[in-house]
Amino acid sequence: MKAEIITVGTEILLGDIVNTNSQYLAKELADLGVEVYYQGTVGDNEDRLLQSIEESLNRSDMVITTGGLGPTKDDLTKETAAKFFNQELVLDEKSWNKIEIYFNKLGKIPTENNKKQAYFPKDAIILENNNGTAPGAILRKGKKIIIVLPGPPREMKPMFEESVKPYLKSLTTEILESKTLRFYGIGESSLEEEIIDIIKEQSNPTVAPYAKDMEVTLRITAKATSKEEAINLINPVVHKIQDKVGKYIYSDDDISLEDTVAKILVSKNLTIGVAESCTGGMVSSNLINYPGISSVFMEGCVTYSNEAKMKSLGVKKETLDKFGAVSEETAKEMAEGIAKRHNTNIGLSTTGIAGPEGGSEEKPVGLVYLGIYINGKTMVKRYVFNGNRQQIRLRATKTILNDLRLELINI
Amino acid sequence: MKAEIITVGTEILLGDIVNTNSQYLAKELADLGVEVYYQGTVGDNEDRLLQSIEESLNRSDMVITTGGLGPTKDDLTKETAAKFFNQELVLDEKSWNKIEIYFNKLGKIPTENNKKQAYFPKDAIILENNNGTAPGAILRKGKKIIIVLPGPPREMKPMFEESVKPYLKSLTTEILESKTLRFYGIGESSLEEEIIDIIKEQSNPTVAPYAKDMEVTLRITAKATSKEEAINLINPVVHKIQDKVGKYIYSDDDISLEDTVAKILVSKNLTIGVAESCTGGMVSSNLINYPGISSVFMEGCVTYSNEAKMKSLGVKKETLDKFGAVSEETAKEMAEGIAKRHNTNIGLSTTGIAGPEGGSEEKPVGLVYLGIYINGKTMVKRYVFNGNRQQIRLRATKTILNDLRLELINI
């Protein structure tokens, strides 16, 4: 099957935002075995969108659009798709009720123009939106299909996952099954070099590396006629990869680094406290995104000032005076201090220079000390991270989570 | 002038990388007053690229491509553009010399296929590449222009800046200038309804709303022959918008909500402490992303457990027993407790049910109490947010920052 992606929106056309929707859809479609030869972007303009849809459906079986499902006059993707198929839009009461409920929960009443979002061609498959007001839809005429999805990624992605993927799978008897290995501590090109033989000798399953948010992921995808057959193709390849670069793999289940760590903490019932300076709450916030964490997460302290480091963590004044706030010694006392505070098994600490100011030759921007106290022992590691302020803070956060994960393996 | 962008490359088509080139070029072209109505992506395939170029030049005066200028057989963008214009490629000795020097510098000798990169149509303007081996080129036939640029952003961007921008400027006298207003606390559709008259009556400047990351932005863009003239067109429209919906505008300078709040705190020298439960460090982390914050940010406490709420913030056991951790009373004591701890002007608190478990009819998932203590007075607001765990936490974080911002206006 051949498909094309059309992203609709003036903000993409003007370059205000990066078009991550096309990448997401392209990757997902590739994984499903759907061929994509063209991607396009147009603004919120009926004539140009009509022309794009026509060109695409002349070449392909299916068009997937994102954007232009909002409540305003500008939003006309669904209307244009229906017009192309010469289908009339009618109010779908169920969708309208859902929108009303969504607004009521916010203590608001939908405006009349929100009603537009509940209109669909009679025979369309309506795709529920559990993260916003705009439902998506699958429109069909003969063998041609137009799937309209909302623009915001946090609405579009779950909708694709929950509704579009099963639909596309139902159109073919071949199934694609994939397994994702997640890596930390190795770059994409180094990883590819290490396993280039494995990548090259494979055609089914395929092995594809990609990098995202400072992590590297490897996806092993098999085509087969049953899930079992696919898994039997995938597993031997996974084992080969584990043999070569297993020490960098933190998850073979497509779970985030922070959830992986949080899960271990909860399952081993290890209590934890976190003392953050440069990361400023990111480490705590990452761990707390795991729903079950409350049983072991005792407290996080964002001790950005020296006063707070002393008062809340018991860091000694002499230590701060002699070695400075960004030092191995301070990191050690911070980790021990937060652990002592609630008598936890584990205490984490971060202290560093996130920039853009405040660096020196001896202590450059990007220098971060990460402290880990576990059951009576404390270790501190020194890192120098690249990037802007936000990136340095994020790298420090991911790194301490990964370092902790490695320590927890041995407990 | 109308232009279209075509990015060439299988890695974009398959979703292996995000297409940042299109965004960069779109933004630059918009700033230059060049209108872009279409963007497209095709793989390294002559037929499909030829077709795309033809469609684009039927609609527009100019096509800018990125990618496909490398030394391999796969790389065929320049060759295809020349074929479209029916122009013959000839070796450009100067470019070939430059490639040889480039390789020699790396201690290498160029291979014969690198020579391909030095072939151009006789009348093309060759664009030097100071960051790689592939020169770009401007091809012309009659009034139609094709500009071919390399794919890697670190080669493409400097080439655009150094060579393409001056060329495009020489083609036009018009400039585009825009101003961005950022809103919080009003949805995209409500905002549009409020100012629909202003949007409708404008053609220069134009007024365009869009939503991103739970916030709404309005861009006012003017076409003029000078920056001053453009600003004189923009300002009266900004004032009209401020008159109608000024209370929702938090920035007229395209600065994020968290940086806006942090900036006010620093400029007014108001010290702050943050006590977080459900947001788990996000509020602190957002504030700490502002580089100058250290002078006023005293401490953040992630008091996820009741024990920590009592120990670090002095929340009373009776309060927790009687009203629960997620209550107005607890939020109040948390905000006051963190302020008292370091005797700060301001204390913030968050406590809520982020889900997915833990909700009840009385206290549903999404219920969050946000407490703000300022100089002796405490107020607590109750919210029910939609979304998944991460979204509820993010909404609570943005909302308390905006509520604080509104309070700070009056100080």
Side-chain angles (χ1 to χ4, degrees):
Chain A
M1 183 184 297
K2 281 191 213 166
E4 300 196 11
I5 299 164
I6 301 177
T7 43
V8 184
T10 306
E11 66 278 18
I12 296 175
L13 217 46
L14 291 177
D16 286 326
I17 57 170
V18 179
N19 186 353
T20 56
N21 282 353
S22 282
Q23 187 211 10
Y24 171 83
L25 289 173
K27 187 112 203 146
E28 291 291 331
L29 292 170
D31 286 351
L32 288 164
V34 177
E35 287 169 312
V36 175
Y37 290 135
Y38 291 89
Q39 298 169 9
T41 299
V42 287
D44 304 291
N45 174 290
E46 188 184 283
D47 290 343
R48 291 193 278 268
L49 180 54
L50 268 179
Q51 198 198 337
S52 290
I53 291 174
E54 187 174 354
E55 284 170 5
S56 294
L57 286 183
N58 279 341
R59 294 181 293 233
S60 305
D61 315 298
M62 178 167 58
V63 168
I64 302 185
T65 70
T66 68
L69 300 188
T72 73
K73 274 194 314 106
D74 264 5
D75 298 298
L76 38 73
T77 305
K78 185 177 59 187
E79 290 75 6
T80 307
K83 186 172 178 178
F84 180 78
F85 279 163
N86 205 12
Q87 292 172 346
E88 196 191 343
L89 295 168
V90 293
L91 181 69
D92 178 61
E93 290 289 349
K94 200 179 144 213
S95 298
W96 175 232
N97 282 344
K98 245 202 118 192
I99 293 170
E100 285 184 308
I101 290 165
Y102 186 92
F103 273 87
N104 291 341
K105 218 178 153 189
L106 295 171
K108 292 177 181 172
I109 295 164
T111 57
E112 197 51 34
N113 57 11
N114 284 111
K115 211 161 194 168
K116 173 176 168 307
Q117 299 185 299
Y119 274 82
F120 298 93
K122 195 163 46 64
D123 296 326
I125 301 172
I126 298 169
L127 310 172
E128 279 196 43
N129 187 339
N130 296 312
N131 302 285
T133 59
I138 300 174
L139 285 68
R140 289 163 300 186
K141 188 167 190 174
K143 287 189 172 175
K144 300 291 181 180
I145 300 170
I146 305 175
I147 302 180
V148 297
L149 302 175
R154 68 191 171 77
E155 299 179 26
M156 186 275 288
K157 290 180 185 178
M159 191 182 286
F160 186 89
E161 191 62 37
E162 291 158 17
S163 307
V164 181
K165 214 179 206 177
Y167 175 77
L168 295 176
K169 279 184 177 168
S170 76
L171 299 179
T172 167
T173 53
E174 202 171 52
I175 69 145
L176 280 178
E177 179 74 25
S178 59
K179 185 164 189 75
T180 300
L181 301 177
R182 289 197 181 211
F183 292 76
Y184 197 83
I186 184 168
E188 189 183 4
S189 56
S190 309
L191 176 62
E192 192 175 0
E193 252 183 39
E194 291 269 354
I195 60 162
I196 190 75
D197 297 346
I198 301 176
I199 293 177
K200 278 193 173 161
E201 79 189 27
Q202 292 303 325
S203 60
N204 189 24
T206 57
V207 179
Y210 55 101
K212 195 179 110 188
D213 291 345
M214 302 170 192
E215 297 179 26
V216 179
T217 301
L218 214 54
R219 184 142 59 175
I220 302 104
T221 308
K223 268 189 197 174
T225 51
S226 73
K227 188 166 177 162
E228 199 192 343
E229 188 193 333
I231 289 170
N232 285 337
L233 288 165
I234 289 171
N235 280 345
V237 179
V238 169
H239 292 145
K240 275 194 210 170
I241 294 167
Q242 280 169 331
D243 283 345
K244 281 221 166 179
V245 287
K247 63 177 168 173
Y248 302 109
I249 299 173
Y250 70 80
S251 167
D252 60 2
D253 219 7
D254 210 8
I255 294 175
S256 72
L257 181 56
E258 53 268 29
D259 282 0
T260 303
V261 174
K263 221 172 147 177
I264 302 173
L265 292 172
V266 172
S267 73
K268 298 198 177 187
N269 197 26
L270 292 165
T271 55
I272 187 166
V274 180
E276 302 181 64
S277 188
C278 63
T279 51
M282 271 190 190
V283 179
S284 288
S285 181
N286 267 272
L287 287 172
I288 285 180
N289 205 41
Y290 185 74
I293 197 71
S294 58
S295 62
V296 295
F297 188 94
M298 288 301 122
E299 186 170 10
C301 285
V302 183
T303 52
Y304 204 58
S305 66
N306 278 352
E307 194 196 327
K309 288 184 185 79
M310 293 187 281
K311 187 163 176 175
S312 297
L313 307 172
V315 175
K316 293 194 219 75
K317 191 168 182 307
E318 307 88 81
T319 307
L320 290 167
D321 287 345
K322 192 168 170 192
F323 302 104
V326 179
S327 66
E328 189 182 334
E329 292 76 7
T330 299
K332 183 169 184 287
E333 291 186 20
M334 285 173 70
E336 290 169 359
I338 188 68
K340 207 170 157 190
R341 209 172 145 73
H342 291 275
N343 197 23
T344 53
N345 299 107
I346 297 167
L348 301 183
S349 71
T350 70
T351 180
I353 300 163
E357 308 295 322
S360 65
E361 202 166 319
E362 194 198 350
K363 296 187 177 182
V365 168
L367 173 68
V368 179
Y369 290 94
L370 301 176
I372 301 181
Y373 165 95
I374 303 185
N375 292 333
K377 275 208 306 202
T378 310
M379 61 215 89
V380 177
K381 284 193 187 170
R382 180 186 186 275
Y383 292 92
V384 181
F385 297 110
N386 280 316
N388 63 25
R389 184 175 174 87
Q390 176 76 356
Q391 286 162 343
I392 289 167
R393 297 174 64 215
L394 201 52
R395 292 202 157 103
T397 299
K398 295 248 179 201
T399 302
I400 196 167
L401 290 173
N402 191 55
D403 286 349
L404 174 60
R405 181 186 68 82
L406 293 171
E407 293 301 324
L408 293 178
I409 292 171
N410 307 317
I411 287 192
Chain B
M1 182 184 297
K2 283 191 210 166
E4 301 195 9
I5 300 164
I6 302 177
T7 43
V8 183
T10 307
E11 68 279 19
I12 296 175
L13 218 45
L14 290 179
D16 287 328
I17 60 169
V18 179
N19 185 353
T20 57
N21 283 352
S22 282
Q23 187 210 11
Y24 172 83
L25 290 172
K27 184 122 201 138
E28 291 291 330
L29 292 171
D31 287 350
L32 288 164
V34 176
E35 288 169 313
V36 174
Y37 290 137
Y38 291 89
Q39 298 169 9
T41 298
V42 287
D44 305 291
N45 175 287
E46 188 184 280
D47 290 344
R48 289 193 279 269
L49 181 54
L50 267 179
Q51 198 198 340
S52 288
I53 291 175
E54 184 173 355
E55 283 169 5
S56 293
L57 286 182
N58 279 341
R59 293 181 295 231
S60 304
D61 315 299
M62 179 168 58
V63 167
I64 302 185
T65 69
T66 68
L69 300 188
T72 74
K73 278 195 307 106
D74 265 5
D75 297 299
L76 40 74
T77 304
K78 186 176 57 186
E79 291 74 6
T80 306
K83 185 171 180 179
F84 180 76
F85 279 163
N86 206 11
Q87 293 172 347
E88 198 191 340
L89 295 169
V90 294
L91 181 68
D92 178 62
E93 289 290 348
K94 200 179 145 210
S95 296
W96 177 232
N97 282 344
K98 245 203 119 192
I99 292 170
E100 285 184 308
I101 291 166
Y102 186 92
F103 272 89
N104 293 341
K105 243 180 152 175
L106 296 171
K108 293 177 180 171
I109 294 163
T111 57
E112 196 51 33
N113 57 11
N114 284 111
K115 214 161 193 168
K116 171 176 170 307
Q117 299 185 299
Y119 275 83
F120 298 93
K122 196 163 47 65
D123 296 327
I125 300 172
I126 298 169
L127 309 172
E128 280 195 40
N129 187 339
N130 296 312
N131 302 284
T133 59
I138 300 174
L139 285 67
R140 288 163 301 184
K141 186 166 191 174
K143 289 190 172 173
K144 300 290 182 181
I145 301 170
I146 305 175
I147 302 180
V148 297
L149 301 176
R154 63 186 180 80
E155 300 178 26
M156 187 276 287
K157 289 180 186 179
M159 190 182 288
F160 185 88
E161 192 62 37
E162 291 158 18
S163 309
V164 182
K165 214 180 205 176
Y167 175 76
L168 294 177
K169 277 185 178 167
S170 74
L171 300 179
T172 169
T173 52
E174 209 170 47
I175 69 147
L176 277 182
E177 179 74 25
S178 59
K179 188 167 188 71
T180 300
L181 301 177
R182 289 195 180 213
F183 293 76
Y184 196 84
I186 185 167
E188 190 184 2
S189 56
S190 309
L191 176 62
E192 191 180 4
E193 256 189 29
E194 292 269 353
I195 59 160
I196 189 75
D197 296 347
I198 301 176
I199 294 177
K200 277 191 176 164
E201 77 190 25
Q202 292 302 327
S203 60
N204 188 25
T206 57
V207 179
Y210 57 99
K212 193 178 116 186
D213 290 346
M214 302 172 192
E215 298 179 26
V216 179
T217 301
L218 215 54
R219 183 146 69 170
I220 302 106
T221 307
K223 268 189 198 172
T225 53
S226 73
K227 187 164 177 164
E228 199 192 344
E229 189 194 330
I231 290 170
N232 285 337
L233 287 166
I234 289 170
N235 279 346
V237 178
V238 169
H239 291 146
K240 272 194 211 169
I241 295 167
Q242 280 169 331
D243 283 346
K244 280 220 169 177
V245 287
K247 63 177 170 174
Y248 301 110
I249 299 174
Y250 70 79
S251 168
D252 59 4
D253 220 8
D254 212 7
I255 295 176
S256 71
L257 180 57
E258 52 269 30
D259 282 1
T260 303
V261 174
K263 221 172 147 176
I264 302 173
L265 292 173
V266 172
S267 73
K268 299 198 177 188
N269 197 28
L270 293 165
T271 54
I272 187 167
V274 180
E276 302 182 64
S277 187
C278 63
T279 52
M282 271 190 190
V283 179
S284 289
S285 181
N286 267 272
L287 287 173
I288 285 179
N289 205 41
Y290 184 73
I293 197 71
S294 58
S295 62
V296 295
F297 188 95
M298 289 301 123
E299 185 168 9
C301 285
V302 183
T303 51
Y304 204 58
S305 66
N306 279 351
E307 193 197 328
K309 287 185 185 78
M310 292 187 282
K311 187 163 173 177
S312 296
L313 306 173
V315 174
K316 294 193 216 77
K317 188 165 186 309
E318 307 88 79
T319 307
L320 291 167
D321 288 345
K322 192 168 168 192
F323 303 104
V326 179
S327 65
E328 189 182 333
E329 292 76 8
T330 299
K332 184 169 183 288
E333 291 185 19
M334 286 173 71
E336 291 169 358
I338 188 68
K340 207 171 157 188
R341 209 172 146 74
H342 291 274
N343 198 22
T344 52
N345 300 107
I346 298 166
L348 300 183
S349 71
T350 69
T351 180
I353 299 162
E357 309 296 321
S360 65
E361 201 164 321
E362 194 199 350
K363 295 187 177 182
V365 168
L367 173 67
V368 179
Y369 289 93
L370 301 176
I372 301 182
Y373 165 95
I374 303 185
N375 293 333
K377 276 208 306 201
T378 311
M379 62 214 90
V380 177
K381 284 192 187 170
R382 180 185 186 276
Y383 291 92
V384 182
F385 297 110
N386 279 313
N388 62 26
R389 184 174 174 88
Q390 176 77 354
Q391 287 163 344
I392 288 166
R393 296 175 64 215
L394 200 53
R395 291 202 158 104
T397 298
K398 296 248 178 201
T399 302
I400 196 168
L401 290 172
N402 190 56
D403 286 350
L404 174 59
R405 181 186 68 81
L406 293 172
E407 293 301 324
L408 292 177
I409 292 171
N410 307 317
I411 286 190

